[in-house]
Amino acid sequence: GTKKKAACPGLGLFYTVLSAFLFSVASLFLKKIEDVHSVEVSAFRCVFQMAFVLPGLIYYKTGFLGPKGKRIFLFFRGFLGSSAMILLYYAFQVMPLADATVITFSSPVFTSLLAWIFLKEKYSVWDFVFTLFAITGVILIARPPFLFGSHVSGIEGSYTDHLKGTIAAITSTVSAALTFVILRKMGKSVHYFLSIWYYAVIGLIGCVIALFVMNEWRLPYCGKDRVLLILIGVLGLGGQIFLTKALQIEKAGPVAIMKTMDVVFAFILQIIFLNHLPTWWTVGGALCVVASSSGTAIRKWRQNLKKSKQNEI
């Protein structure tokens, strides 16, 4: 059947920008929380996801476990997806907001590489070039001492925390890329709500275990942190909804390119509300990573257009 066109031109791109803004504000609120561990914030986020998805599972009668042959994929999707979220939240807390956001934008490049390894998808010279661009951008943001010297300027807090945050952000990015590969493997055989359900349930179980092991479980002391926790859950959920709606009415290529507004919003919010000016190294790294992710998105978009034209012929 023919694909139904959006009633309002550009509505999908507007949803993408709105999603990027909501995610960025949620990240800013995470930086503002003072006495709550990133794992506990992740646990609250998982609770919000479960509360949202549960009525959908009941309405669509998908069950809570999914098809037998897909349960192992759903488990790893939940484990890797929730791990990516926890590591990203930790990175937001210990390093500049813009730096952590930029590193996560190398995810499409890692997805192409991992899809080539596990799904045997085509990996061209251009994909390799984009991978090098992404790695260069991450190095410019991390600024390892053996390349940039022992006195690294423009770092928020100690360099040890910056390095830990960088490693967490990179690991989060790779985990997210593996999640996308698993979702591609499953295709449309598993309902979207069921995928989010596994993500939330496994994430919540992992967070609770980690919090008891670290002895970090506690309610926020002040009302401000409690309000921020609720807002992070609501904004994160809203960002996910608008991104999903954008992908329903707009092609994936333009959405992926427009999603780079995440980086723009992160820089603006960091300067205005956190009084932290990015260094030229960070700006250079951001340009490398955004160019890499945009190039990957444009290339995939053109490939899909070619395939659709060939199918029409």
Side-chain angles (χ1 to χ4, degrees):
T2 57
K3 190 175 180 180
K4 188 178 179 181
K5 292 185 179 179
C8 176
L11 184 61
L13 300 182
F14 171 74
Y15 283 153
T16 308
V17 174
L18 185 56
S19 168
F21 178 73
L22 293 177
F23 280 133
S24 298
V25 175
S27 304
L28 174 67
F29 287 162
L30 183 61
K31 293 284 288 183
K32 290 289 188 180
I33 288 181
E34 297 172 357
D35 296 315
V36 183
H37 197 278
S38 57
V39 179
E40 189 172 349
V41 179
S42 303
F44 276 96
R45 171 77 183 273
C46 289
V47 170
F48 270 93
Q49 294 273 23
M50 290 173 66
F52 170 74
V53 171
L54 186 59
L57 292 178
I58 296 171
Y59 178 77
Y60 289 108
K61 300 177 181 178
T62 61
F64 296 97
L65 297 177
K68 284 187 178 180
K70 303 294 181 181
R71 289 175 188 174
I72 185 66
F73 294 115
L74 283 167
F75 171 80
F76 280 110
R77 181 267 182 272
F79 176 75
L80 291 168
S82 57
S83 298
M85 173 186 62
I86 294 167
L87 289 166
L88 180 59
Y89 280 7
Y90 174 77
F92 280 140
Q93 285 192 331
V94 299
M95 70 185 300
L97 181 64
D99 290 19
T101 303
V102 168
I103 291 174
T104 61
F105 263 80
S106 57
S107 180
V109 181
F110 286 111
T111 303
S112 297
L113 179 61
L114 293 169
W116 170 60
I117 295 171
F118 294 108
L119 302 180
K120 308 301 179 187
E121 292 186 6
K122 188 177 179 182
Y123 190 79
S124 67
V125 176
W126 278 110
D127 290 313
F128 179 70
V129 171
F130 294 144
T131 303
L132 290 180
F133 262 87
I135 293 172
T136 302
V138 172
I139 289 173
L140 290 175
I141 290 169
R143 280 161 277 173
F146 67 89
L147 289 177
F148 292 83
S150 56
H151 300 288
V152 184
S153 61
I155 298 295
E156 181 183 274
S158 68
Y159 182 76
T160 303
D161 284 342
H162 183 83
L163 185 60
K164 287 180 181 178
T166 302
I167 293 171
I170 294 171
T171 309
S172 170
T173 302
V174 175
S175 297
L178 283 168
T179 302
F180 289 137
V181 171
I182 291 171
L183 289 172
R184 281 190 196 178
K185 179 72 176 177
M186 290 192 297
K188 296 181 179 180
S189 60
V190 177
H191 198 278
Y192 176 73
F193 276 126
L194 194 60
S195 178
I196 300 178
W197 175 253
Y198 266 80
Y199 167 90
V201 171
I202 294 175
L204 181 60
I205 293 171
C207 288
V208 170
I209 293 172
L211 287 168
F212 276 108
V213 170
M214 297 185 298
N215 197 25
E216 287 283 350
W217 180 265
R218 62 180 183 271
L219 284 173
Y221 292 116
C222 67
K224 184 190 79 170
D225 283 351
R226 296 178 186 181
V227 172
L228 289 177
L229 271 176
I230 295 171
L231 288 175
I232 288 170
V234 173
L235 291 170
L237 185 58
Q240 191 67 51
I241 291 171
F242 281 114
L243 183 59
T244 303
K245 288 179 70 67
L247 289 168
Q248 286 175 342
I249 61 177
E250 186 61 78
K251 290 183 174 66
V255 170
I257 297 167
M258 191 60 70
K259 203 176 181 305
T260 55
M261 287 299 295
D262 270 352
V263 176
V264 177
F265 287 133
F267 274 105
I268 293 172
L269 294 175
Q270 177 177 295
I271 293 169
I272 295 174
F273 295 101
L274 302 177
N275 297 319
H276 184 82
L277 289 172
T279 64
W280 287 111
W281 293 115
T282 299
V283 174
L287 290 174
C288 286
V289 172
V290 169
S292 172
S293 61
S294 299
T296 303
I298 291 170
R299 188 171 172 280
K300 295 292 182 185
W301 182 25
R302 292 184 65 183
Q303 284 179 344
N304 290 334
L305 285 176
K306 278 185 180 179
K307 284 183 182 178
S308 61
K309 285 181 180 178
Q310 288 174 355
N311 292 333
E312 286 177 4
I313 295 171

